[in-house]
């Protein structure tokens, strides 16, 4: 049908204006519009079949249309009115041409404006012709996708002589934002409008293509799922006929659940889940989740105990066979098990074995499990940062499982295994929760009888489990967790103890691992002690085991080649060839040969260690420089030491003007290793006092302790580990705080005989014992090099 877009020649100079808030009209487009505002109704009444359509920038009633209209409007022909069912009036308009709204005329009843028509024509160029053909192609493509081929074909035929109107008609039909259509209206170049319409049409065509592909795939997948469901139902029917169906497997689970002595709450939960399982359609994912939960509950050792009692003599004997020394530790373990044996509920505090690596924490737990005839279940906590790893995930999560604790109990097979919570000091916290908080309930004897895993959601009694935790450093274990455990300290071993452990336990184990008889390798006691001194400075014996393992591997090579005719004998002179170059010097330690150097003792998670503090003076203005990656505690100790030394300048014979032209530099070697703690206070004080007084520290002497600003020596921890480290280095005298005197009772007799322990409670006593006498007539710089 041919559309009429002719404009009469007697058109008035001014025409009524119909402002549109939400609607949209372009030349070549015919559309109905609802009219509700009084001004708009008056504009239609005043029109003689023609009016101007203006588009508002802001779709609101309260704005002034004369100030809010776009500068470009549309001259429109009124075709016929429409009577709507809701009583509102409507009118059908046909856009004819773009016009400039040049000037608004005052009229109280309606909006009226003068217009100037915009002449438009389609250029006769090859580019314009190609653009028009592309528009026609994409219009046909969209019409086919939207099932609108007939209306679009009629539109193309009606607008064929006026391509610019065809562009406007296509732009009006495309689904776009109102702002995009406003921009299309004010774009006066028809080819630019055509490019925008083509770009938008291609975007819509691509979206429709993707939508069609998705719908096709969904229909195909639905057919495949329906076919699979039918085949599965047929397969289930076949299995049921053969007695191999799902009902038989779940029947075994049901029978097992009926026989278990479940608590009342757990029994109710199981009955509800069984009833729910029968209602879930076969093939549903929820059916698998429900079946997994029922199987987990049926596999837990409800009411199954492996140990009826604890034979303390057997425990004592097992610990004696597996560990040398550690008398106090063995005593605490036996006492702990005695409490569990005599208490009616079987509840007792949880043991926390604390000590450096390689001292036998894990093997003590193994010996306890062997002596009590229980299975040992190890739960590694190092690096655990998610609470759900211990308490499990709820069943709403995909792939949910119980936590490590319940899984460990299931592996144990009984309700009273020995559960080793290894590396409890290396738990970490993250956005997923605090794992240490999950252990609070587990390790509390008053709460763990009703532990609830997030996956099971029914209480399980863990009070009969013998929990044993291990840690290297107590400072990183939360205080509430420590409060629920009985701490058992396992310090390092002396040289003689390491030799005895190697002879009794390490060498037979290494021979077995190497496929040798113990008699085929002979290592002298002197060689073992030299290996301890020169290759394995540690608190435990783990590195010693690795080092001596090289000896047995060398013997195994000879035996495999048929060259081992006599016992493989190893003495001190043979170690270098078997173990490589010596890793540690044989001398005890670097004896201070100048003022300003003091030897301290420190505690680390790896055991005790010797710590040197060096102080030196440089030209300056009395500043204190601290290096060596020192923490805040050690920095404060150094400042307090300088203050104490200056305040006792007369007693220490320190010149009054010592800091007027000098800076004091305090350094702790091994600068790449962070260092902090209260144990270095006495050492800091001694080093600075030695420098400023010009009196070197006596050789063969080490010290530990913290000091107040007034010189009072305060107690510190780790005394046994520190003294053992001093003994390993051959240090003959150790200064300890007076308050730590009871801790010296834990030292082996061998160490107490070879190391002189001096207990002090004031820095004056420390300096009297630690510093050499100052040679008369020597100043600060000369005094730093005193040897006697």
């Amino acid at each position: 049908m041919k559309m009429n877009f002719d404009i009469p020649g007697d058109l008035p100079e001014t025409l009524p204006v119909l402002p549109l808030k939400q609607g949209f009209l372009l030349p070549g487009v015919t559309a109905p519009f609802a009219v509700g505002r009084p001004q708009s109704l008056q504009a239609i009444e005043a029109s003689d079949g023609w009016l101007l359509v203006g588009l508002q920038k802001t779709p609101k009633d309260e704005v002034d249309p004369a100030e809010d209209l776009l500068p470009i409007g549309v001259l429109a022909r009124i075709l016929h009115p429409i009577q709507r069912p809701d009583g509102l009036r409507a009118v059908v308009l046909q856009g004819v041409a773009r016009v400039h709204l040049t000037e608004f005329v005052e009229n109280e009843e309606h909006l009226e404006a003068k217009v100037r028509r915009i002449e438009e024509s389609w250029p006769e160029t090859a580019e314009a012709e190609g653009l028009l053909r592309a528009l026609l192609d994409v219009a046909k493509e969209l019409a086919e996708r939207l099932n609108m081929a007939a209306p679009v074909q009629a539109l193309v035929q009606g607008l064929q002589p006026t391509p610019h109107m065809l562009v406007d008609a296509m732009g009006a039909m495309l689904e776009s934002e109102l702002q995009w259509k406003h921009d299309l209206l004010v774009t006066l170049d028809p080819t630019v409008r055509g490019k925008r319409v083509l770009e938008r049409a291609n975007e819509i065509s691509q979206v429709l293509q993707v939508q069609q592909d998705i719908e096709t795939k969904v229909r195909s997948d639905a057919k495949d799922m329906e076919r699979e469901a039918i085949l599965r139902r047929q397969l289930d029917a076949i299995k049921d006929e053969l007695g191999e169906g799902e009902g038989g497997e779940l029947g075994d689970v049901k029978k097992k659940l009926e026989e278990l002595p479940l608590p009342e709450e757990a029994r109710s939960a199981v009955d509800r889940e069984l009833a729910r399982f029968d209602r879930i359609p076969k093939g549903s994912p929820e059916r698998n989740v429900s079946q997994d939960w029922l199987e987990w509950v049926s596999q837990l050792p409800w009411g199954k105990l492996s140990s009826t009692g604890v034979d303390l003599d057997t425990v004592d004997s097992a610990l004696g066979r597996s560990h040398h020394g550690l008398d106090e530790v063995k005593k605490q373990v036996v006492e702990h098990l005695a409490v569990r044996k005599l208490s009616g509920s079987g509840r007792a505090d949880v043991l926390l074995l604390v000590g450096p690596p390689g001292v036998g924490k894990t093997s003590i737990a193994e010996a306890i499990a062997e002596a009590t005839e229980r299975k040992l279940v190890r739960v590694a906590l190092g690096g655990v940062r998610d609470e759900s790893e211990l308490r499990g995930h709820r069943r709403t999560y995909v792939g949910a499982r119980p936590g490590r604790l319940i899984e460990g109990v299931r592996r144990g097979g009984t309700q009273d295994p020995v559960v080793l919570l290894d590396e409890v000091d290396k738990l970490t916290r993250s956005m997923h929760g605090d794992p240490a908080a999950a252990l609070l309930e587990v390790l509390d004897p008053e709460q763990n009888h009703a532990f609830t895993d997030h996956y099971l959601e029914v209480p399980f009694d863990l009070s009969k489990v013998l929990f044993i935790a291990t840690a290297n450093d107590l400072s990183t274990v939360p205080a509430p967790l420590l409060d629920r455990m009985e701490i058992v300290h396992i310090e390092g071993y002396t040289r003689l103890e390491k030799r005895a452990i190697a002879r009794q336990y390490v060498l037979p184990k290494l021979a077995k691992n190497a496929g040798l008889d113990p008699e085929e390798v002979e290592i002298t006691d002197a060689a073992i002690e030299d290996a301890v001194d020169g290759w394995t400075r540690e608190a435990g014996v783990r590195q010693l085991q690795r080092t001596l393992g090289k000896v047995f591997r060398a013997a195994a090579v000879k035996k495999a080649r048929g060259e081992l005719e006599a016992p493989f004998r190893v003495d001190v002179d043979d170690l270098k060839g078997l173990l490589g170059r010596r890793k540690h010097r044989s001398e005890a330690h670097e004896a201070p040969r100048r003022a300003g150097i003091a030897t301290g003792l420190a505690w680390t998670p790896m055991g005790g260690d010797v710590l040197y503090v060096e102080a030196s003076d440089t030209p300056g203005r009395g500043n204190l420089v601290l290096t060596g990656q020192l923490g805040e505690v050690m920095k404060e100790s150094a400042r307090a030491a300088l203050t104490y030394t200056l305040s006792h300048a007369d007693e220490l014979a320190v010149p009054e003007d010592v800091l007027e032209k000098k800076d004091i530099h305090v350094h702790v070697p091994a600068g790449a290793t962070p260092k902090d703690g209260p144990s270095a206070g006495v050492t800091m004080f001694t080093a600075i006092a030695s420098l400023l007084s010009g009196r070197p520290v006596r050789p063969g002497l080490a010290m530990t302790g913290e000091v107040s600003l007034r010189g009072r020596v305060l107690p510190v921890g780790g005394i046994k580990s520190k003294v053992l480290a001093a003994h390993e280095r051959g240090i003959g005298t150790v200064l300890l705080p007076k308050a730590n005197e009871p801790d010296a009772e834990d030292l082996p007799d061998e160490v107490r005989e070879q190391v002189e322990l001096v207990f002090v409670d004031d820095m004056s006593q420390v300096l009297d014992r630690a510093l050499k006498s100052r040679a008369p007539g020597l100043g600060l710089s000369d005094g730093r090099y005193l040897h006697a």
Side-chain angles (χ1 to χ4, degrees), residues 1-3 154 157-159:
M1 180 183 67
K2 182 70 175 176
M3 298 185 183
Q157 291 178 354
L159 298 176

Side-chain angles (χ1 to χ4, degrees), residues 135-145 149 152-153 156 170:
L135 285 169
L136 292 174
D137 291 341
V138 75
K140 293 178 182 178
E141 182 179 349
L142 287 175
E144 293 176 358
R145 294 188 187 281
V152 171
Q153 182 66 26
V156 170
M170 286 185 61

Side-chain angles (χ1 to χ4, degrees), residues 260-319:
L260 287 176
L262 297 176
E264 182 178 351
E265 185 175 349
R267 176 64 65 188
S268 300
V270 167
D271 292 342
R272 287 195 304 270
E273 194 65 28
L274 286 172
R276 177 175 172 272
F277 179 84
D278 293 335
R279 296 193 301 268
I280 300 175
K282 291 185 178 180
S284 172
E286 291 188 23
R287 191 176 180 89
N288 294 332
V289 174
S290 178
Q291 182 174 346
D292 288 343
W293 185 87
L294 291 169
E295 290 177 353
W296 262 100
V297 174
S298 67
Q299 292 169 4
L300 290 178
W302 300 90
K304 184 178 180 181
L305 302 177
S306 60
S307 177
T308 56
V310 177
D311 188 346
L312 299 182
D313 293 335
T314 303
V315 174
D316 208 357
S317 175
L319 291 175

Side-chain angles (χ1 to χ4, degrees), residues 41-69:
L41 293 172
Q42 290 294 337
I44 293 176
E45 293 294 338
S47 66
D48 188 17
W50 294 86
L51 53 72
L52 301 174
V53 176
L55 304 182
Q56 289 185 210
K57 303 175 187 176
T58 307
K60 296 181 180 179
D61 292 334
E62 56 270 16
V63 299
D64 184 3
E67 299 179 356
D68 193 52
L69 294 180

